[in-house]
Amino acid sequence: MILCAGESLIDMVPEGAHYRPLPGGAVYNTAIALGRIGAPTGYLWPISRDGFGEMLLRPLAEANVDTGLCPRSDRLTTLAFVTLTGGEARYAFYDEGSAGRMLAPEDLPEIPESVSALFVGGISLVPDPCGAAIEALVERLHPRVPVMLDPNIRPFFISDETAYRARLERLLARADLVKLSGDDLEWLMPRASFEEAAAAILAKGAKVVLQTGGSAGARAHWQGAPLDAPATRVEVADTIGAGDTFNAGVLAALHRSGALSRDGMADLTPETLLQALTLGTRAAAITVSRPGANPPWQHELDALPA
């Protein structure tokens, strides 16, 4: 089972003069996408007992995502008000004292042996105590399972840049797969090219650094020559959840090939990695073709032209 640990929230998406509440959150979106395309998936994050918490649980259940590790909380659900500019999403978070924000390392449950990989990232890495909890989970699991990290950096959410950079450095040293967008790179290593950044991260121990570029497709930097997968051409509604869905496609493809294990990551082949990139870009294309974070089901991927 692929365990996704990190934020869920409600995206308040503009709809005319009003806002429409939609379940979201970077790590939550990846869990939903994994479940919809048939990968065995678990989710770990506190879920509020408020009405928004129930709204978050419903898509997880529909996608067959295991929520047995999710503690329930009387604290409120995080809200993210979305502004769309040219299809690009920007966010304002209402998060102080929320159910997820207050997750502490001592609140982490025992992780079953059925967990075979861990995915973390997003804003859950930024504040404490939840950032410390996710870091503690990575520290606990990375000796036995592959870890994928997508920092999905939101600069306006970071109040202590020094502490956050230090946490990312520690996490990068424990990640097997790292995904970076152009925005992530600009904040993380502002004077570096993607090639330079990837080389630096690979030197820390990662097996693959995934570079996403929207309509430019995706590239994998690893021990061999870089591999590229083109973007699938669609009419873009907005980009909410695109990178999260890409992550799910990559993880699902690696799981299906048997590569999502300690031994499998050590023996990656170009064919396996290219299949993962391709599923990631195809899945993301369906997500951007419709409003909000609404990842595809497997039957929708099957119907997409080759």
Side-chain angles (χ1 to χ4, degrees):
M1 178 173 74
I2 302 167
L3 179 62
C4 299
E7 79 270 11
S8 54
L9 48 82
I10 297 296
D11 282 324
M12 303 299 286
V13 180
E15 201 169 75
H18 306 283
Y19 284 93
R20 180 184 177 192
L22 295 172
V27 180
Y28 174 89
N29 293 339
T30 295
I32 295 290
L34 276 166
R36 287 185 178 185
I37 57 182
T41 308
Y43 184 58
L44 168 54
W45 193 246
I47 301 292
S48 175
R49 292 188 180 92
D50 65 15
F52 287 134
E54 296 304 316
M55 188 182 293
L56 289 165
L57 284 172
R58 197 172 306 118
L60 290 166
E62 291 170 352
N64 202 32
V65 175
D66 186 337
T67 57
L69 294 176
C70 292
R72 297 305 298 272
S73 171
D74 290 327
R75 296 180 180 275
L76 298 176
T77 299
T78 298
L79 302 181
F81 282 79
V82 182
T83 301
L84 297 175
T85 305
E88 292 289 329
R90 295 291 181 265
Y91 303 85
F93 293 95
Y94 292 74
D95 188 50
E96 290 295 331
S98 68
R101 175 77 168 263
M102 301 312 293
L103 176 70
E106 57 268 25
D107 299 326
L108 291 171
E110 287 298 314
I111 306 300
E113 289 297 317
S114 58
V115 169
S116 56
L118 175 65
F119 173 78
V120 299
I123 63 170
S124 55
L125 305 178
V126 180
D128 286 327
C130 65
I134 298 301
E135 187 175 352
L137 182 65
V138 171
E139 185 69 26
R140 186 194 303 180
L141 292 186
H142 94 275
R144 70 175 179 89
V145 305
V147 175
M148 181 173 181
L149 168 67
D150 176 7
N152 200 17
I153 297 166
R154 307 293 187 193
F156 52 82
F157 193 74
I158 302 163
S159 59
D160 188 339
E161 182 176 325
T162 300
Y164 179 54
R165 286 186 180 275
R167 174 164 289 150
L168 284 184
E169 280 297 308
R170 295 190 296 270
L171 290 171
L172 287 169
R174 290 162 176 78
D176 300 273
L177 294 154
V178 177
K179 194 269 273 184
L180 295 176
S181 67
D183 287 344
D184 293 333
L185 177 66
E186 185 177 342
W187 188 90
L188 191 62
M189 303 180 188
R191 288 172 295 279
S193 66
F194 247 113
E195 289 71 24
E196 292 167 337
I201 294 169
L202 292 171
K204 297 177 188 296
K207 301 295 187 295
V208 182
V209 177
L210 300 161
Q211 171 186 350
T212 56
S215 61
R219 167 171 283 197
H221 304 264
W222 66 311
Q223 64 180 0
L227 299 170
D228 294 282
T232 300
R233 300 299 176 186
V234 294
E235 185 174 341
V236 175
D238 63 52
T239 61
I240 300 172
D244 312 326
T245 306
F246 171 83
N247 294 334
V250 168
L251 287 167
L254 291 175
H255 170 75
R256 292 171 186 173
S257 70
L260 200 57
S261 67
R262 276 273 162 255
D263 291 341
M265 291 301 299
D267 297 325
L268 272 177
T269 65
E271 293 76 17
T272 297
L273 195 47
L274 187 57
Q275 286 173 359
L277 273 183
T278 301
L279 184 56
T281 56
R282 286 169 63 82
I286 295 177
T287 298
V288 303
S289 72
R290 50 203 191 193
N294 185 7
W297 297 83
Q298 184 59 49
H299 70 268
E300 293 178 299
L301 280 165
D302 293 339
L304 199 65

